[in-house]
Amino acid sequence: MTVDVTVVGGGISGLACARAVQDAGRSVRVLDRGRRVGGRLASRTIDGRAVDLGASYFVVGEAERFGHLVADWEERGLARPWTDTFAVIDADGGQTPKPGPMRWAAPLGSRSLTLDLAEGLDVVSEHVVERVEPYRVDGRDAGEVVLAMPAPQAARLTGEAPGGAQDWEPVIAVMLRWDDRQWDADLHGAFADGDADVSFLADDGDRRGDGAPVLVVHTTADRARRHLDDPDAAIAPVVAATRRLLRIDADPVAARAHRWTFARPVEATGEPFFRSPGLSACGDAWGESAAVRTAWSSGDALGRALAAS
């Protein structure tokens, strides 16, 4: 059955787009290559516990429609205010508080937010798309086609990324677990200032609210580029940097690495989405700055535009 809109990509942007289309009374289908939706809002069950290996947090800011969604998530226990203060850690391990906007997190793992958005949608998982063109996916009629993915991935399906080429940086996220907490109780998350290996560290137990002695550490783009073919090779330098930055005496008892080849756009486009007849695009690169709220807002705005056209 041909639908009005086919969304390729089941991350938060693609799901927001599909949700807006369906809420407007149009038919929509989401095709995603993963076993479950989520994209870079990824939670992976490790040692019986969900660990957030994708986006570290989200901020509402002035995104009013996204704010209404977050308020609903909070009311239903899917989202919680986490912290408005991170630390900046220098090369010697010295820490300086860095106040900012309220950062939000998901007690059940960030994937739970995308699963909530996908509820009631026609989602086809483990579906690998080979070729996309206006109004067609893999040679079949697909209605309006939306690419909700990083531009380099979109270019593989179309020959040229909708809206033009965009540069993206890689990240390797490393989960580190100790038997007991080894860092200061008031360290929610921290930016590593100028470190060659680590860019950000998050206390996943504090973020999730269960107190687990787990850190999720994001590498720098340079460190990630060295290990895209073998992400586990990034674990040793990340452990060494984390122990040095947080002045931890013991090695973790468990460690896992996850590769994000296209983790974040180097620069956002400034436009809310890309729209052309039969083939459009949305995501966190479309907007003023790359962020979870940008991804949702981009998909939501495109979905409403498609439904109205």
Side-chain angles (χ1 to χ4, degrees), residues 40 42 51-57 170-176 190-192 195-202 204 207 215-221 223-224 234 238 241-242 245 258 260 263-264:
R40 281 167 287 147
V51 179
D52 284 336
L53 294 174
S56 296
Y57 56 87
V171 164
I172 294 175
V174 180
M175 184 283 301
L176 303 176
F191 299 100
D195 191 81
D197 299 311
V198 168
S199 63
F200 184 76
L201 310 91
D204 198 59
R207 173 169 60 188
L215 293 174
V216 175
V217 184
H218 287 192
T219 67
T220 60
R223 171 55 72 182
V238 165
T242 300
L245 291 169
H258 185 90
W260 297 103
R264 55 186 173 232

Side-chain angles (χ1 to χ4, degrees), residues 78-229:
L78 294 176
R80 63 185 285 264
W82 176 25
T83 181
D84 63 359
T85 302
F86 287 148
V88 176
I89 304 179
D90 61 31
D92 297 323
Q95 298 185 18
T96 303
K98 184 178 177 62
M102 177 56 67
R103 283 84 169 190
W104 289 72
L108 301 178
S110 57
R111 192 188 299 274
S112 67
L113 305 179
T114 56
L115 292 174
D116 183 66
L117 286 175
E119 186 71 27
L121 292 175
D122 179 7
V123 177
V124 182
S125 299
E126 297 183 289
H127 184 108
V128 178
V129 172
E130 300 290 345
R131 181 71 183 173
V132 166
E133 54 192 314
Y135 304 107
R136 299 177 72 81
V137 172
D138 290 334
R140 298 183 179 182
D141 292 340
E144 292 278 354
V145 179
V146 173
L147 293 175
M149 62 186 68
Q153 292 177 321
R156 295 172 182 171
L157 304 181
T158 63
E160 182 178 349
Q166 300 164 1
D167 292 328
W168 287 66
E169 291 184 336
V171 164
I172 294 175
V174 180
M175 184 283 301
L176 303 176
R177 178 174 63 82
W178 283 262
D179 286 330
D180 301 293
R181 188 188 182 101
Q182 304 288 318
W183 50 93
D184 294 340
D186 61 351
L187 181 74
H188 311 290
F191 299 100
D193 186 17
D195 191 81
D197 299 311
V198 168
S199 63
F200 184 76
L201 310 91
D203 183 332
D204 198 59
D206 183 67
R207 173 169 60 188
R208 291 274 314 285
D210 64 359
V214 173
L215 293 174
V216 175
V217 184
H218 287 192
T219 67
T220 60
D222 286 343
R223 171 55 72 182
R225 290 187 188 99
R226 301 183 207 177
H227 304 293
L228 289 178
D229 293 334

